Amino acid sequence: MGAYMSMPKGSNVPVPTTALRVELGWRSGPGVPDVDASALLLVSGKVRSDADFIFYNQPAHSSGAVRHEGKRNDGGQVSDALLVDLARAEPVIETVVLAASADGGSFGRVPGLYIRVLDAQHGTELARFDSADATVETAFVLGEFYRRQGAWKFRAVGQGYGSGLEGLATDYGITVDEPQHAAPAAPAPQGPATLVQGPPPPVAAPVTMPPPVAPPVTMPPPMAPPMTPQPPAAPPAPVRLTKVTLTKEAPSVSLSKQGGTSGAMRVNLNWEVRKQFKGWGSKRGRAVAMHADLDLDLCALYELSDGRKGVVQALGNAFGALHQPPFIHLDGDDRTGAVASGENLSINLDHKQSFRRILIFVTIYEGARSFADLHATVTLQPLNGAPIDFSLDECTVPSTVCALALITGNGTDMVVQREARYLIPERGVSPQRTVDYAYGWGMNWTPGRK
């Protein structure tokens, strides 16, 4: 099936396959807000629970029907993607809403906003809707998948909200926890406590009258069981929409203050795929350009609280381990930059007391001599906390290694410090040894391969 022209608002098309990639795209530039993709799985127009809301803080649905894939930046053309497998949506799910939210401005300042649906296997475009009439909206429902007579269709919606992601989520039945709502929630547990306290004063007064008092004294225990279930009956923890962006002005953040205290924290490095011109060759008598792909490696130096030190990296197959020391694991080696998820490294925060410090850094393995003109973003995503992200500044020096973030631990908390330092190795000195010198790790290095 060929590419679709932009659909008119309100129109629909059949979806011929169930394994889909939904791409939300726009053009970045000065003053353009960041945009985030999200999805809501609905029954009768509402979510069943907050677990039916998929976005950057809750990236996967338990059914496997929707997963937030993440952002790509290709020369200023930015996209945020969702992987959708409609075959895995529970039979009760009638609609999968596809939404966008603007962080730091309105959609009137976001040029070239579109949503398109691709065949996940072949990359074929199945549907596309371009939004061209946004003004003050800070959230949009751009499209939706819906069931009709046992088959799925895609509809171009284009409905805007002025109340941001919070307003959109609340409209579909999501309970949102934002700072301004935290204070009123505190008195809720007080209700049952005051009721439990009620019986003792009447009981204390008749203590001097044994006959009358004896029967009532046995009454409060039967009342206690109805009181005790009430605290567990409180609604589940609301969804947190908070994001943290580290800048030169605000370069550090406490993980515990953001709720990131347990589980695996994923460190993601994503870079723009740039082709480096290498030379000319020939194919069937025609001149063709030869290119080399840029290959970046995400790495981590670690120092544990017991004094052990080491490195996690693809070089030398030092991929680490998540559930035993060093409690850091490199998921794989993306050698081309073509993998949408980039490179990922996981840190087990269940063992945060084991970490003294971790330095996240990136090296150029091949394809370039410097980070110049490279557009890369780093995101730290705790399992139970707000994502922490930052962009690498433009590199103006001949650097092949960049220190991204320094994470220090004190046994109970871990603090993330944005570094974004481009280092220049001396002649004959490896990038790893250069980072070691700069941060005083004091390790011995030998040549390695991958």
Side-chain angles (χ1 to χ4, degrees):
M1 184 175 295
Y4 278 81
M5 295 181 64
S6 183
M7 299 169 59
K9 185 184 296 189
S11 62
N12 62 76
V13 294
V15 179
T17 184
T18 57
L20 306 165
R21 185 172 185 269
V22 177
E23 183 181 282
L24 176 73
W26 68 97
R27 293 193 305 276
S28 66
V32 176
D34 192 23
V35 177
D36 295 292
S38 58
L40 301 103
L41 288 76
L42 308 184
V43 178
S44 300
K46 296 285 185 181
V47 297
R48 296 165 296 177
S49 72
D50 294 349
D52 287 340
F53 181 32
I54 306 305
F55 68 119
Y56 47 80
N57 271 3
Q58 194 163 264
H61 193 261
S62 58
S63 68
V66 183
R67 180 163 61 87
H68 182 244
E69 187 180 50
K71 290 191 174 78
R72 300 286 291 170
N73 187 331
D74 187 3
Q77 181 63 46
V78 190
S79 64
D80 195 11
L82 299 162
L83 293 179
V84 179
D85 187 350
L86 295 174
R88 301 180 72 170
E90 298 105 321
V92 295
I93 297 298
E94 301 163 350
T95 311
V96 179
V97 167
L98 306 167
S101 56
D103 185 12
S106 68
F107 276 105
R109 294 165 50 192
V110 179
L113 180 67
Y114 70 85
I115 186 171
R116 64 178 188 146
V117 180
L118 307 170
D119 182 322
Q121 183 176 1
H122 302 104
T124 310
E125 185 177 285
L126 306 176
R128 180 186 178 108
F129 170 59
D130 291 88
S131 175
D133 55 357
T135 54
V136 299
E137 299 88 350
T138 49
F140 253 102
V141 173
L142 290 172
E144 64 182 16
F145 296 114
Y146 64 99
R147 292 188 200 257
R148 278 296 181 272
Q149 298 176 339
W152 287 95
K153 291 188 172 185
F154 172 78
R155 177 187 289 121
V157 179
Q159 177 185 349
Y161 290 74
S163 49
L165 185 58
E166 180 179 1
L168 183 148
T170 304
D171 199 42
Y172 286 103
I174 298 292
T175 306
V176 174
D177 175 25
E178 289 298 86
Q180 62 267 31
H181 299 311
Q190 301 294 333
T194 55
L195 288 174
V196 172
Q197 296 286 352
V203 170
V207 163
T208 56
M209 303 170 62
V213 171
V217 165
T218 59
M219 296 305 292
M223 293 178 62
M227 295 298 116
T228 51
Q230 289 189 12
V239 169
R240 300 181 59 173
L241 303 182
T242 312
K243 289 200 299 183
V244 179
T245 300
L246 299 183
T247 63
K248 290 179 180 178
E249 293 73 28
S252 65
V253 64
S254 159
L255 285 182
S256 65
K257 289 181 180 178
Q258 299 302 322
T261 56
S262 62
M265 177 173 70
R266 189 181 74 164
V267 181
N268 172 261
L269 171 71
N270 232 312
W271 66 91
E272 180 183 337
V273 180
R274 284 190 178 275
K275 300 288 189 178
Q276 303 293 324
F277 181 71
K278 194 174 182 181
W280 293 94
S282 63
K283 183 178 181 182
R284 294 185 182 178
R286 294 176 297 167
V288 296
M290 307 283 288
H291 299 87
D293 286 309
L294 177 63
D295 180 8
L296 303 185
D297 281 346
L298 184 62
C299 315
L301 280 170
Y302 63 84
E303 181 179 359
L304 302 183
S305 54
D306 62 7
R308 283 182 289 179
K309 299 177 182 179
V311 66
V312 173
Q313 61 178 7
L315 201 64
N317 294 319
F319 288 95
L322 195 60
H323 300 291
Q324 62 188 46
F327 307 112
I328 305 170
H329 181 246
L330 182 65
D331 296 355
D333 179 26
D334 177 4
R335 297 194 177 206
T336 67
V339 178
S341 58
E343 292 222 2
N344 296 284
L345 185 140
S346 297
I347 301 172
N348 191 342
L349 297 182
D350 290 336
H351 294 272
K352 56 182 175 293
Q353 73 279 358
S354 300
F355 298 117
R356 185 171 294 167
R357 56 177 179 159
I358 304 168
L359 181 70
I360 309 297
F361 67 99
V362 58
T363 66
I364 298 176
Y365 184 70
E366 65 181 3
R369 297 179 181 177
S370 170
F371 284 105
D373 298 323
L374 175 70
H375 298 280
T377 57
V378 182
T379 302
L380 287 76
Q381 175 65 74
L383 179 65
N384 300 306
I388 301 164
D389 59 24
F390 60 88
S391 299
L392 297 184
D393 296 326
E394 193 68 26
C395 179
T396 57
V397 295
S399 167
T400 55
V401 58
C402 178
L404 301 178
L406 181 64
I407 306 172
T408 53
N410 61 11
T412 58
D413 190 15
M414 299 186 74
V415 175
V416 179
Q417 171 84 24
R418 177 186 189 269
E419 295 293 308
R421 285 180 60 189
Y422 293 102
L423 304 173
I424 306 174
E426 296 180 4
R427 182 180 295 274
V429 179
S430 69
Q432 289 83 354
R433 192 186 297 265
T434 301
V435 170
D436 184 318
Y437 287 169
Y439 287 85
W441 232 266
M443 290 172 54
N444 296 318
W445 295 91
T446 57
R449 293 183 177 183
K450 68 172 184 176

